[in-house]
Amino acid sequence: MKNVKLKTTFLSALLVTSSLYMAPAGVFEPAKAVAAPGQSAAAFDQKVINRISADRMYEDVYHLTETIGPRVAGTPAEKETADFIKERLLSYGYDVEIQEFAISDTVLGHLQTDAGNEVLVNVPAGSAATADTGLTASLYDGGLGYPEDFSTEAVGKIALISRGGIPFAEKVNNAYAAGAVGVLIYNNIDQPGPINPSLGSAAVQIPVGGITKASGEALLADVEAVGGNVTLTVSAIENATSQNIIATRTPKKGGGDGIVHVTAHYDSVPFAAGASDNASGTATALEIARVLKSYPIDEEVRFAFVGAEEIGLVGSRYYVSQLSQDEISRSIGNFNMDMVGTSWENATAIYMNTLDGQPNIVSETAAATGKRIGTPSELILYQRGASDHVPFYEAGIAAVNFIRREPGTANLEPYYHTPLDTIEFVSAERLKEAGDLVGASVYQLIKK
Ligand code: BES
Ligand code: ZN
C-alpha cells in the first residue's frame, strides 16, 4: 500500500477533483499540499522542456542502432549497450548500479551462402547446435517436408522446406529420417523478417533455421543453378546473463520518501536494430535523466534501463523483485517508455497503456502535463501489457507504458520487430514530444 506524500496544490487538487482518477481505496493519500513559492506547474515544465534536446536523443538512437545494431538479450551487443548507458549516466553524475541476472538458455543462428552472402535466419528453441565452425552442406529441395518429398539424394544435405501443410517439427523429423543433416524452413508468405519455425516442446536431432520466402526462393534457385552450398551455424547461448542499469537520485534531507521509477528496455529482437523498439525509449530516458540531474528534488527518482525485455520482461521483473516491501510502498509510480519515436505517419497518438485500462497517478499527471505544455499528439488511455510496466502493476505500483500508435485501431508501425525497425523511421520531433511529456511529468512528481 502506498502512502505517498506530494507537495503541489496542483497535483493534490487534480487527484481529488478529477473524475477520471480512480485510485483503489487507501492506495494513494496526498498528504502535503504546499505550493513551491512563486513557481507554477507551468514554470516547472519549462525548466525541463527548454533543455530536452531532440538532437541528443536522435544521436543516441543512431549510436544504439547504427553503431551497435541488434541488441539481443545475453549477447555482447546487449552488454556493449549496457556499458554505453552506464558510462553516460556516470558522466551525468548519477550513482549507477549494474544489476546482473541470469537468462534462459537460447540458440542463435547465422547463415551464409557459398558466395559469402549473409541470409537472416531465426533458430527455434529445441534446435540442435552446430560446431563453432558451422555446418557446411549443399541444399536439397525438400518440398513441403512430407516423407515422400525426400529421396536418397537428401542424405548429408541441408533440406530446404517450405512452410505449410504439416507442423515444423514434423518436417524436421521427416528430413532427419531421410538422412538430412540440417533443415531450413522458408516462409510461404511475404513477411519482412525470417520466420521462427517453432518446434513447440519437441527437441530435434539436427539444426533448424527459419528464413523469409524471398531467401528461400533465392536459395532454391541456387540449388538448381550451382547446387547451393550453405554454412549454417547454430550456437547455443548457455548460462548467459543480462543486466539492468540503474541510476538513482535521492533528495537531500527533509524531502519526501516517495520513489518514481522511469524505465525503458534497451534490448531488441534479433535482426532488428530496434530503433523504435526501443532505442527510442532508451534515448528519451537518458535525456530526461540528464535534464533532471541538475534540479533540486524532494522525492527519489530511479532510471532503470532494463535488459531482456524481448524474451519476457525478464529485466523489469528482476528489478521489481529486488525492491523491498518498503521501497514498493514508497513507490509513487512507473513511467515506462517503449516505442515512443516512430515516424510512421498513422501513429499520431501517444497511448498510455495501463494493465487495467484505468487511469492512475502516472497517466493523470501526464494528461495534465500534456494539456499544460500543449503536447501536439492526442493522449489515449488504453488497456495493454506486453512491456516493462507489467511487473510494476503486479507489485501494486501505478504504471504506464507510453507508446506511439494509430488512434482508433491502436496499430503499431509496420516495421515493428522487423529488420526495417531502423533510424530511417524514427522522428526527432516525436522523441522530443515524448521527452517533454514524460520529463515534465516526472518532474512534477519529484520537484522540490
Ligand atoms: N515494444 C514491444 C511491444 C509492445 C506492444 C509493447 C504493445 C506494448 C504494447 C515489446 O518490446 C514487445 O515486443 N513485447 C512483447 C511481449 C513481451 C512480454 C516479450 C510482445 O508484445 O510480443
Ligand atoms: Zn519494446
Side-chain angles (χ1 to χ4, degrees), residues 71-74 78-79 81-82 85 99 101 103 241-245 264-268 304-319 388:
R71 302 171 299 282
V72 178
E78 197 205 33
K79 180 78 171 59
T81 313
I85 294 168
Q99 194 177 57
F101 52 89
I103 58 172
T241 59
S242 175
Q243 55 282 310
N244 299 329
I245 306 96
H265 76 86
Y266 64 91
D267 63 314
S268 76
F305 296 83
V306 299
E309 187 267 0
E310 298 287 5
I311 57 170
L313 316 179
V314 182
S316 51
R317 286 195 190 289
Y318 189 74
Y319 174 81
D388 296 306

PDB file of all heavy atoms in Angstrom, residues 71-74 78-79 81-82 85 99 101 103 241-245 264-268 304-319 388:
ATOM      1  N   ARG A  71      20.421  -5.754 -30.402  1.00  0.00           N
ATOM      2  CA  ARG A  71      20.929  -5.855 -29.036  1.00  0.00           C
ATOM      3  C   ARG A  71      20.196  -6.986 -28.302  1.00  0.00           C
ATOM      4  O   ARG A  71      19.463  -6.762 -27.331  1.00  0.00           O
ATOM      5  CB  ARG A  71      20.720  -4.506 -28.311  1.00  0.00           C
ATOM      6  CG  ARG A  71      21.400  -3.330 -29.016  1.00  0.00           C
ATOM      7  CD  ARG A  71      21.029  -1.983 -28.443  1.00  0.00           C
ATOM      8  NE  ARG A  71      19.606  -1.692 -28.553  1.00  0.00           N
ATOM      9  CZ  ARG A  71      18.983  -1.287 -29.663  1.00  0.00           C
ATOM     10  NH1 ARG A  71      19.681  -1.118 -30.774  1.00  0.00           N
ATOM     11  NH2 ARG A  71      17.689  -1.084 -29.670  1.00  0.00           N
ATOM     12  N   VAL A  72      20.394  -8.188 -28.807  1.00  0.00           N
ATOM     13  CA  VAL A  72      19.654  -9.350 -28.303  1.00  0.00           C
ATOM     14  C   VAL A  72      20.134  -9.722 -26.895  1.00  0.00           C
ATOM     15  O   VAL A  72      21.345  -9.701 -26.619  1.00  0.00           O
ATOM     16  CB  VAL A  72      19.831 -10.548 -29.264  1.00  0.00           C
ATOM     17  CG1 VAL A  72      19.116 -11.785 -28.741  1.00  0.00           C
ATOM     18  CG2 VAL A  72      19.315 -10.172 -30.652  1.00  0.00           C
ATOM     19  N   ALA A  73      19.186 -10.045 -26.034  1.00  0.00           N
ATOM     20  CA  ALA A  73      19.499 -10.381 -24.641  1.00  0.00           C
ATOM     21  C   ALA A  73      20.595 -11.435 -24.565  1.00  0.00           C
ATOM     22  O   ALA A  73      20.546 -12.463 -25.237  1.00  0.00           O
ATOM     23  CB  ALA A  73      18.247 -10.888 -23.939  1.00  0.00           C
ATOM     24  N   GLY A  74      21.581 -11.174 -23.736  1.00  0.00           N
ATOM     25  CA  GLY A  74      22.643 -12.140 -23.492  1.00  0.00           C
ATOM     26  C   GLY A  74      23.806 -12.060 -24.461  1.00  0.00           C
ATOM     27  O   GLY A  74      24.802 -12.763 -24.291  1.00  0.00           O
ATOM     28  N   GLU A  78      24.285  -6.520 -26.438  1.00  0.00           N
ATOM     29  CA  GLU A  78      23.446  -6.037 -25.332  1.00  0.00           C
ATOM     30  C   GLU A  78      24.343  -5.507 -24.208  1.00  0.00           C
ATOM     31  O   GLU A  78      24.087  -4.457 -23.619  1.00  0.00           O
ATOM     32  CB  GLU A  78      22.509  -7.140 -24.809  1.00  0.00           C
ATOM     33  CG  GLU A  78      21.368  -6.559 -23.975  1.00  0.00           C
ATOM     34  CD  GLU A  78      20.770  -7.506 -22.962  1.00  0.00           C
ATOM     35  OE1 GLU A  78      21.502  -8.363 -22.402  1.00  0.00           O
ATOM     36  OE2 GLU A  78      19.551  -7.396 -22.692  1.00  0.00           O
ATOM     37  N   LYS A  79      25.434  -6.240 -23.971  1.00  0.00           N
ATOM     38  CA  LYS A  79      26.387  -5.829 -22.928  1.00  0.00           C
ATOM     39  C   LYS A  79      27.053  -4.499 -23.294  1.00  0.00           C
ATOM     40  O   LYS A  79      27.219  -3.620 -22.432  1.00  0.00           O
ATOM     41  CB  LYS A  79      27.431  -6.950 -22.770  1.00  0.00           C
ATOM     42  CG  LYS A  79      28.486  -6.701 -21.737  1.00  0.00           C
ATOM     43  CD  LYS A  79      27.935  -6.970 -20.340  1.00  0.00           C
ATOM     44  CE  LYS A  79      29.019  -6.952 -19.268  1.00  0.00           C
ATOM     45  NZ  LYS A  79      29.746  -5.690 -19.164  1.00  0.00           N
ATOM     46  N   THR A  81      25.803  -2.178 -25.047  1.00  0.00           N
ATOM     47  CA  THR A  81      24.805  -1.125 -24.842  1.00  0.00           C
ATOM     48  C   THR A  81      24.711  -0.775 -23.356  1.00  0.00           C
ATOM     49  O   THR A  81      24.622   0.403 -22.990  1.00  0.00           O
ATOM     50  CB  THR A  81      23.431  -1.582 -25.364  1.00  0.00           C
ATOM     51  OG1 THR A  81      23.604  -2.146 -26.659  1.00  0.00           O
ATOM     52  CG2 THR A  81      22.455  -0.425 -25.443  1.00  0.00           C
ATOM     53  N   ALA A  82      24.750  -1.802 -22.520  1.00  0.00           N
ATOM     54  CA  ALA A  82      24.687  -1.567 -21.071  1.00  0.00           C
ATOM     55  C   ALA A  82      25.868  -0.701 -20.634  1.00  0.00           C
ATOM     56  O   ALA A  82      25.701   0.242 -19.844  1.00  0.00           O
ATOM     57  CB  ALA A  82      24.699  -2.903 -20.326  1.00  0.00           C
ATOM     58  N   ILE A  85      25.302   2.919 -21.700  1.00  0.00           N
ATOM     59  CA  ILE A  85      24.317   3.588 -20.833  1.00  0.00           C
ATOM     60  C   ILE A  85      24.950   3.931 -19.480  1.00  0.00           C
ATOM     61  O   ILE A  85      24.796   5.037 -18.958  1.00  0.00           O
ATOM     62  CB  ILE A  85      23.062   2.702 -20.666  1.00  0.00           C
ATOM     63  CG1 ILE A  85      22.337   2.555 -22.007  1.00  0.00           C
ATOM     64  CG2 ILE A  85      22.130   3.259 -19.593  1.00  0.00           C
ATOM     65  CD1 ILE A  85      21.254   1.483 -22.018  1.00  0.00           C
ATOM     66  N   GLN A  99      22.775  -4.260 -12.281  1.00  0.00           N
ATOM     67  CA  GLN A  99      22.069  -5.373 -11.639  1.00  0.00           C
ATOM     68  C   GLN A  99      22.055  -6.533 -12.632  1.00  0.00           C
ATOM     69  O   GLN A  99      21.348  -6.497 -13.627  1.00  0.00           O
ATOM     70  CB  GLN A  99      20.650  -4.884 -11.365  1.00  0.00           C
ATOM     71  CG  GLN A  99      19.830  -5.691 -10.436  1.00  0.00           C
ATOM     72  CD  GLN A  99      18.470  -5.009 -10.220  1.00  0.00           C
ATOM     73  OE1 GLN A  99      17.736  -4.764 -11.172  1.00  0.00           O
ATOM     74  NE2 GLN A  99      18.141  -4.736  -8.982  1.00  0.00           N
ATOM     75  N   PHE A 101      21.527 -10.423 -13.966  1.00  0.00           N
ATOM     76  CA  PHE A 101      20.623 -11.551 -13.703  1.00  0.00           C
ATOM     77  C   PHE A 101      20.784 -12.594 -14.804  1.00  0.00           C
ATOM     78  O   PHE A 101      21.232 -12.282 -15.919  1.00  0.00           O
ATOM     79  CB  PHE A 101      19.162 -11.065 -13.612  1.00  0.00           C
ATOM     80  CG  PHE A 101      18.737 -10.229 -14.789  1.00  0.00           C
ATOM     81  CD1 PHE A 101      18.193 -10.819 -15.916  1.00  0.00           C
ATOM     82  CD2 PHE A 101      18.916  -8.854 -14.792  1.00  0.00           C
ATOM     83  CE1 PHE A 101      17.827 -10.052 -17.016  1.00  0.00           C
ATOM     84  CE2 PHE A 101      18.552  -8.078 -15.885  1.00  0.00           C
ATOM     85  CZ  PHE A 101      18.007  -8.683 -17.003  1.00  0.00           C
ATOM     86  N   ILE A 103      19.651 -15.353 -17.631  1.00  0.00           N
ATOM     87  CA  ILE A 103      18.542 -15.540 -18.574  1.00  0.00           C
ATOM     88  C   ILE A 103      18.545 -16.996 -19.072  1.00  0.00           C
ATOM     89  O   ILE A 103      19.572 -17.681 -18.972  1.00  0.00           O
ATOM     90  CB  ILE A 103      18.611 -14.563 -19.768  1.00  0.00           C
ATOM     91  CG1 ILE A 103      19.926 -14.716 -20.540  1.00  0.00           C
ATOM     92  CG2 ILE A 103      18.438 -13.129 -19.301  1.00  0.00           C
ATOM     93  CD1 ILE A 103      19.961 -13.911 -21.832  1.00  0.00           C
ATOM     94  N   THR A 241      23.908 -14.031 -19.146  1.00  0.00           N
ATOM     95  CA  THR A 241      23.307 -13.051 -18.236  1.00  0.00           C
ATOM     96  C   THR A 241      22.911 -11.808 -19.023  1.00  0.00           C
ATOM     97  O   THR A 241      23.389 -11.569 -20.118  1.00  0.00           O
ATOM     98  CB  THR A 241      24.294 -12.619 -17.133  1.00  0.00           C
ATOM     99  OG1 THR A 241      25.447 -12.060 -17.750  1.00  0.00           O
ATOM    100  CG2 THR A 241      24.682 -13.779 -16.237  1.00  0.00           C
ATOM    101  N   SER A 242      22.019 -11.050 -18.434  1.00  0.00           N
ATOM    102  CA  SER A 242      21.687  -9.728 -18.941  1.00  0.00           C
ATOM    103  C   SER A 242      21.811  -8.799 -17.735  1.00  0.00           C
ATOM    104  O   SER A 242      22.187  -9.248 -16.636  1.00  0.00           O
ATOM    105  CB  SER A 242      20.275  -9.725 -19.519  1.00  0.00           C
ATOM    106  OG  SER A 242      19.909  -8.422 -19.916  1.00  0.00           O
ATOM    107  N   GLN A 243      21.530  -7.521 -17.914  1.00  0.00           N
ATOM    108  CA  GLN A 243      21.703  -6.606 -16.794  1.00  0.00           C
ATOM    109  C   GLN A 243      20.799  -5.391 -16.921  1.00  0.00           C
ATOM    110  O   GLN A 243      20.465  -4.970 -18.026  1.00  0.00           O
ATOM    111  CB  GLN A 243      23.163  -6.144 -16.659  1.00  0.00           C
ATOM    112  CG  GLN A 243      23.744  -5.508 -17.914  1.00  0.00           C
ATOM    113  CD  GLN A 243      24.158  -6.530 -18.966  1.00  0.00           C
ATOM    114  OE1 GLN A 243      24.863  -7.480 -18.660  1.00  0.00           O
ATOM    115  NE2 GLN A 243      23.673  -6.367 -20.189  1.00  0.00           N
ATOM    116  N   ASN A 244      20.414  -4.888 -15.749  1.00  0.00           N
ATOM    117  CA  ASN A 244      19.737  -3.595 -15.668  1.00  0.00           C
ATOM    118  C   ASN A 244      20.755  -2.560 -15.227  1.00  0.00           C
ATOM    119  O   ASN A 244      21.650  -2.859 -14.432  1.00  0.00           O
ATOM    120  CB  ASN A 244      18.614  -3.627 -14.630  1.00  0.00           C
ATOM    121  CG  ASN A 244      17.551  -4.657 -14.968  1.00  0.00           C
ATOM    122  OD1 ASN A 244      17.292  -4.935 -16.144  1.00  0.00           O
ATOM    123  ND2 ASN A 244      16.933  -5.244 -13.939  1.00  0.00           N
ATOM    124  N   ILE A 245      20.616  -1.356 -15.749  1.00  0.00           N
ATOM    125  CA  ILE A 245      21.492  -0.262 -15.326  1.00  0.00           C
ATOM    126  C   ILE A 245      20.595   0.729 -14.603  1.00  0.00           C
ATOM    127  O   ILE A 245      19.623   1.226 -15.177  1.00  0.00           O
ATOM    128  CB  ILE A 245      22.178   0.423 -16.526  1.00  0.00           C
ATOM    129  CG1 ILE A 245      22.913  -0.607 -17.368  1.00  0.00           C
ATOM    130  CG2 ILE A 245      23.159   1.485 -16.056  1.00  0.00           C
ATOM    131  CD1 ILE A 245      22.164  -1.100 -18.529  1.00  0.00           C
ATOM    132  N   ALA A 264      12.999   1.964 -19.373  1.00  0.00           N
ATOM    133  CA  ALA A 264      12.999   1.732 -20.821  1.00  0.00           C
ATOM    134  C   ALA A 264      13.863   0.500 -21.061  1.00  0.00           C
ATOM    135  O   ALA A 264      14.916   0.353 -20.425  1.00  0.00           O
ATOM    136  CB  ALA A 264      13.573   2.919 -21.573  1.00  0.00           C
ATOM    137  N   HIS A 265      13.418  -0.385 -21.955  1.00  0.00           N
ATOM    138  CA  HIS A 265      14.284  -1.544 -22.244  1.00  0.00           C
ATOM    139  C   HIS A 265      15.207  -1.194 -23.405  1.00  0.00           C
ATOM    140  O   HIS A 265      14.819  -0.484 -24.336  1.00  0.00           O
ATOM    141  CB  HIS A 265      13.472  -2.809 -22.511  1.00  0.00           C
ATOM    142  CG  HIS A 265      12.799  -2.902 -23.860  1.00  0.00           C
ATOM    143  ND1 HIS A 265      13.442  -3.394 -24.979  1.00  0.00           N
ATOM    144  CD2 HIS A 265      11.550  -2.594 -24.276  1.00  0.00           C
ATOM    145  CE1 HIS A 265      12.607  -3.382 -26.010  1.00  0.00           C
ATOM    146  NE2 HIS A 265      11.445  -2.895 -25.621  1.00  0.00           N
ATOM    147  N   TYR A 266      16.442  -1.681 -23.310  1.00  0.00           N
ATOM    148  CA  TYR A 266      17.433  -1.348 -24.348  1.00  0.00           C
ATOM    149  C   TYR A 266      17.775  -2.541 -25.220  1.00  0.00           C
ATOM    150  O   TYR A 266      18.540  -2.405 -26.175  1.00  0.00           O
ATOM    151  CB  TYR A 266      18.693  -0.745 -23.713  1.00  0.00           C
ATOM    152  CG  TYR A 266      19.436  -1.704 -22.799  1.00  0.00           C
ATOM    153  CD1 TYR A 266      20.448  -2.516 -23.280  1.00  0.00           C
ATOM    154  CD2 TYR A 266      19.109  -1.794 -21.454  1.00  0.00           C
ATOM    155  CE1 TYR A 266      21.115  -3.402 -22.447  1.00  0.00           C
ATOM    156  CE2 TYR A 266      19.767  -2.677 -20.615  1.00  0.00           C
ATOM    157  CZ  TYR A 266      20.771  -3.476 -21.115  1.00  0.00           C
ATOM    158  OH  TYR A 266      21.422  -4.358 -20.300  1.00  0.00           O
ATOM    159  N   ASP A 267      17.221  -3.721 -24.924  1.00  0.00           N
ATOM    160  CA  ASP A 267      17.492  -4.880 -25.783  1.00  0.00           C
ATOM    161  C   ASP A 267      16.561  -4.832 -26.992  1.00  0.00           C
ATOM    162  O   ASP A 267      15.600  -4.047 -27.022  1.00  0.00           O
ATOM    163  CB  ASP A 267      17.295  -6.201 -25.011  1.00  0.00           C
ATOM    164  CG  ASP A 267      15.853  -6.401 -24.547  1.00  0.00           C
ATOM    165  OD1 ASP A 267      15.248  -5.463 -24.000  1.00  0.00           O
ATOM    166  OD2 ASP A 267      15.304  -7.505 -24.767  1.00  0.00           O
ATOM    167  N   SER A 268      16.851  -5.669 -27.984  1.00  0.00           N
ATOM    168  CA  SER A 268      15.994  -5.736 -29.174  1.00  0.00           C
ATOM    169  C   SER A 268      15.766  -7.197 -29.544  1.00  0.00           C
ATOM    170  O   SER A 268      16.386  -8.091 -28.970  1.00  0.00           O
ATOM    171  CB  SER A 268      16.655  -5.017 -30.353  1.00  0.00           C
ATOM    172  OG  SER A 268      17.698  -5.813 -30.892  1.00  0.00           O
ATOM    173  N   ALA A 304      15.742   3.148 -14.586  1.00  0.00           N
ATOM    174  CA  ALA A 304      16.151   1.751 -14.754  1.00  0.00           C
ATOM    175  C   ALA A 304      16.105   1.398 -16.237  1.00  0.00           C
ATOM    176  O   ALA A 304      15.026   1.378 -16.840  1.00  0.00           O
ATOM    177  CB  ALA A 304      15.244   0.836 -13.948  1.00  0.00           C
ATOM    178  N   PHE A 305      17.287   1.182 -16.792  1.00  0.00           N
ATOM    179  CA  PHE A 305      17.394   0.757 -18.189  1.00  0.00           C
ATOM    180  C   PHE A 305      17.466  -0.760 -18.136  1.00  0.00           C
ATOM    181  O   PHE A 305      18.442  -1.316 -17.624  1.00  0.00           O
ATOM    182  CB  PHE A 305      18.634   1.378 -18.828  1.00  0.00           C
ATOM    183  CG  PHE A 305      18.538   2.879 -18.896  1.00  0.00           C
ATOM    184  CD1 PHE A 305      18.868   3.663 -17.785  1.00  0.00           C
ATOM    185  CD2 PHE A 305      18.076   3.508 -20.032  1.00  0.00           C
ATOM    186  CE1 PHE A 305      18.746   5.047 -17.823  1.00  0.00           C
ATOM    187  CE2 PHE A 305      17.949   4.894 -20.088  1.00  0.00           C
ATOM    188  CZ  PHE A 305      18.285   5.657 -18.977  1.00  0.00           C
ATOM    189  N   VAL A 306      16.413  -1.418 -18.616  1.00  0.00           N
ATOM    190  CA  VAL A 306      16.311  -2.847 -18.360  1.00  0.00           C
ATOM    191  C   VAL A 306      16.666  -3.669 -19.593  1.00  0.00           C
ATOM    192  O   VAL A 306      16.382  -3.287 -20.721  1.00  0.00           O
ATOM    193  CB  VAL A 306      14.909  -3.240 -17.818  1.00  0.00           C
ATOM    194  CG1 VAL A 306      14.641  -2.537 -16.499  1.00  0.00           C
ATOM    195  CG2 VAL A 306      13.813  -2.940 -18.814  1.00  0.00           C
ATOM    196  N   GLY A 307      17.307  -4.807 -19.336  1.00  0.00           N
ATOM    197  CA  GLY A 307      17.672  -5.738 -20.400  1.00  0.00           C
ATOM    198  C   GLY A 307      16.623  -6.823 -20.522  1.00  0.00           C
ATOM    199  O   GLY A 307      15.692  -6.925 -19.697  1.00  0.00           O
ATOM    200  N   ALA A 308      16.768  -7.636 -21.564  1.00  0.00           N
ATOM    201  CA  ALA A 308      16.000  -8.869 -21.714  1.00  0.00           C
ATOM    202  C   ALA A 308      14.482  -8.701 -21.658  1.00  0.00           C
ATOM    203  O   ALA A 308      13.769  -9.609 -21.233  1.00  0.00           O
ATOM    204  CB  ALA A 308      16.456  -9.904 -20.676  1.00  0.00           C
ATOM    205  N   GLU A 309      13.987  -7.555 -22.114  1.00  0.00           N
ATOM    206  CA  GLU A 309      12.528  -7.372 -22.171  1.00  0.00           C
ATOM    207  C   GLU A 309      11.916  -8.284 -23.224  1.00  0.00           C
ATOM    208  O   GLU A 309      10.859  -8.876 -23.023  1.00  0.00           O
ATOM    209  CB  GLU A 309      12.194  -5.904 -22.487  1.00  0.00           C
ATOM    210  CG  GLU A 309      10.708  -5.566 -22.397  1.00  0.00           C
ATOM    211  CD  GLU A 309       9.942  -5.673 -23.708  1.00  0.00           C
ATOM    212  OE1 GLU A 309      10.535  -6.022 -24.748  1.00  0.00           O
ATOM    213  OE2 GLU A 309       8.738  -5.431 -23.708  1.00  0.00           O
ATOM    214  N   GLU A 310      12.604  -8.371 -24.362  1.00  0.00           N
ATOM    215  CA  GLU A 310      12.019  -9.066 -25.518  1.00  0.00           C
ATOM    216  C   GLU A 310      11.914 -10.575 -25.314  1.00  0.00           C
ATOM    217  O   GLU A 310      11.280 -11.259 -26.100  1.00  0.00           O
ATOM    218  CB  GLU A 310      12.836  -8.765 -26.785  1.00  0.00           C
ATOM    219  CG  GLU A 310      12.865  -7.292 -27.181  1.00  0.00           C
ATOM    220  CD  GLU A 310      11.539  -6.797 -27.761  1.00  0.00           C
ATOM    221  OE1 GLU A 310      10.564  -7.554 -27.780  1.00  0.00           O
ATOM    222  OE2 GLU A 310      11.504  -5.630 -28.197  1.00  0.00           O
ATOM    223  N   ILE A 311      12.565 -11.092 -24.283  1.00  0.00           N
ATOM    224  CA  ILE A 311      12.422 -12.531 -24.032  1.00  0.00           C
ATOM    225  C   ILE A 311      11.505 -12.769 -22.833  1.00  0.00           C
ATOM    226  O   ILE A 311      11.522 -13.832 -22.223  1.00  0.00           O
ATOM    227  CB  ILE A 311      13.788 -13.240 -23.861  1.00  0.00           C
ATOM    228  CG1 ILE A 311      14.611 -12.626 -22.730  1.00  0.00           C
ATOM    229  CG2 ILE A 311      14.585 -13.194 -25.168  1.00  0.00           C
ATOM    230  CD1 ILE A 311      15.857 -13.459 -22.372  1.00  0.00           C
ATOM    231  N   GLY A 312      10.676 -11.786 -22.525  1.00  0.00           N
ATOM    232  CA  GLY A 312       9.659 -11.998 -21.486  1.00  0.00           C
ATOM    233  C   GLY A 312       9.748 -11.076 -20.289  1.00  0.00           C
ATOM    234  O   GLY A 312       9.453 -11.508 -19.170  1.00  0.00           O
ATOM    235  N   LEU A 313      10.113  -9.800 -20.504  1.00  0.00           N
ATOM    236  CA  LEU A 313      10.140  -8.801 -19.428  1.00  0.00           C
ATOM    237  C   LEU A 313      11.070  -9.224 -18.293  1.00  0.00           C
ATOM    238  O   LEU A 313      10.812  -8.929 -17.120  1.00  0.00           O
ATOM    239  CB  LEU A 313       8.727  -8.570 -18.859  1.00  0.00           C
ATOM    240  CG  LEU A 313       7.576  -8.431 -19.844  1.00  0.00           C
ATOM    241  CD1 LEU A 313       6.256  -8.228 -19.077  1.00  0.00           C
ATOM    242  CD2 LEU A 313       7.793  -7.276 -20.818  1.00  0.00           C
ATOM    243  N   VAL A 314      12.155  -9.924 -18.656  1.00  0.00           N
ATOM    244  CA  VAL A 314      12.988 -10.549 -17.624  1.00  0.00           C
ATOM    245  C   VAL A 314      13.691  -9.492 -16.760  1.00  0.00           C
ATOM    246  O   VAL A 314      13.740  -9.611 -15.535  1.00  0.00           O
ATOM    247  CB  VAL A 314      14.007 -11.525 -18.263  1.00  0.00           C
ATOM    248  CG1 VAL A 314      14.832 -12.217 -17.190  1.00  0.00           C
ATOM    249  CG2 VAL A 314      13.264 -12.568 -19.101  1.00  0.00           C
ATOM    250  N   GLY A 315      14.212  -8.449 -17.412  1.00  0.00           N
ATOM    251  CA  GLY A 315      14.928  -7.414 -16.652  1.00  0.00           C
ATOM    252  C   GLY A 315      14.036  -6.644 -15.697  1.00  0.00           C
ATOM    253  O   GLY A 315      14.384  -6.423 -14.534  1.00  0.00           O
ATOM    254  N   SER A 316      12.868  -6.239 -16.179  1.00  0.00           N
ATOM    255  CA  SER A 316      11.989  -5.445 -15.307  1.00  0.00           C
ATOM    256  C   SER A 316      11.419  -6.314 -14.184  1.00  0.00           C
ATOM    257  O   SER A 316      11.219  -5.847 -13.064  1.00  0.00           O
ATOM    258  CB  SER A 316      10.871  -4.775 -16.107  1.00  0.00           C
ATOM    259  OG  SER A 316      10.197  -5.690 -16.918  1.00  0.00           O
ATOM    260  N   ARG A 317      11.167  -7.591 -14.496  1.00  0.00           N
ATOM    261  CA  ARG A 317      10.697  -8.483 -13.420  1.00  0.00           C
ATOM    262  C   ARG A 317      11.769  -8.604 -12.338  1.00  0.00           C
ATOM    263  O   ARG A 317      11.480  -8.603 -11.140  1.00  0.00           O
ATOM    264  CB  ARG A 317      10.376  -9.878 -13.971  1.00  0.00           C
ATOM    265  CG  ARG A 317       9.088  -9.923 -14.759  1.00  0.00           C
ATOM    266  CD  ARG A 317       8.610 -11.356 -14.989  1.00  0.00           C
ATOM    267  NE  ARG A 317       7.520 -11.390 -15.942  1.00  0.00           N
ATOM    268  CZ  ARG A 317       6.284 -10.953 -15.695  1.00  0.00           C
ATOM    269  NH1 ARG A 317       5.981 -10.473 -14.503  1.00  0.00           N
ATOM    270  NH2 ARG A 317       5.366 -10.998 -16.629  1.00  0.00           N
ATOM    271  N   TYR A 318      13.018  -8.697 -12.798  1.00  0.00           N
ATOM    272  CA  TYR A 318      14.100  -8.815 -11.824  1.00  0.00           C
ATOM    273  C   TYR A 318      14.211  -7.535 -10.999  1.00  0.00           C
ATOM    274  O   TYR A 318      14.335  -7.578  -9.776  1.00  0.00           O
ATOM    275  CB  TYR A 318      15.430  -9.129 -12.529  1.00  0.00           C
ATOM    276  CG  TYR A 318      16.506  -9.475 -11.538  1.00  0.00           C
ATOM    277  CD1 TYR A 318      16.506 -10.711 -10.890  1.00  0.00           C
ATOM    278  CD2 TYR A 318      17.495  -8.554 -11.210  1.00  0.00           C
ATOM    279  CE1 TYR A 318      17.466 -11.021  -9.944  1.00  0.00           C
ATOM    280  CE2 TYR A 318      18.462  -8.847 -10.263  1.00  0.00           C
ATOM    281  CZ  TYR A 318      18.445 -10.084  -9.641  1.00  0.00           C
ATOM    282  OH  TYR A 318      19.388 -10.379  -8.700  1.00  0.00           O
ATOM    283  N   TYR A 319      14.143  -6.408 -11.677  1.00  0.00           N
ATOM    284  CA  TYR A 319      14.246  -5.110 -10.986  1.00  0.00           C
ATOM    285  C   TYR A 319      13.180  -5.004  -9.890  1.00  0.00           C
ATOM    286  O   TYR A 319      13.476  -4.674  -8.740  1.00  0.00           O
ATOM    287  CB  TYR A 319      14.089  -3.972 -12.002  1.00  0.00           C
ATOM    288  CG  TYR A 319      14.036  -2.598 -11.392  1.00  0.00           C
ATOM    289  CD1 TYR A 319      15.195  -1.930 -11.017  1.00  0.00           C
ATOM    290  CD2 TYR A 319      12.804  -1.961 -11.168  1.00  0.00           C
ATOM    291  CE1 TYR A 319      15.141  -0.668 -10.441  1.00  0.00           C
ATOM    292  CE2 TYR A 319      12.748  -0.697 -10.595  1.00  0.00           C
ATOM    293  CZ  TYR A 319      13.925  -0.057 -10.234  1.00  0.00           C
ATOM    294  OH  TYR A 319      13.857   1.187  -9.651  1.00  0.00           O
ATOM    295  N   ASP A 388       7.434  -3.304 -19.963  1.00  0.00           N
ATOM    296  CA  ASP A 388       8.023  -3.350 -18.620  1.00  0.00           C
ATOM    297  C   ASP A 388       7.206  -2.703 -17.516  1.00  0.00           C
ATOM    298  O   ASP A 388       7.613  -2.716 -16.363  1.00  0.00           O
ATOM    299  CB  ASP A 388       9.419  -2.710 -18.674  1.00  0.00           C
ATOM    300  CG  ASP A 388      10.353  -3.511 -19.558  1.00  0.00           C
ATOM    301  OD1 ASP A 388      10.482  -4.719 -19.307  1.00  0.00           O
ATOM    302  OD2 ASP A 388      10.923  -2.951 -20.507  1.00  0.00           O
TER     303      ASP A 388
END
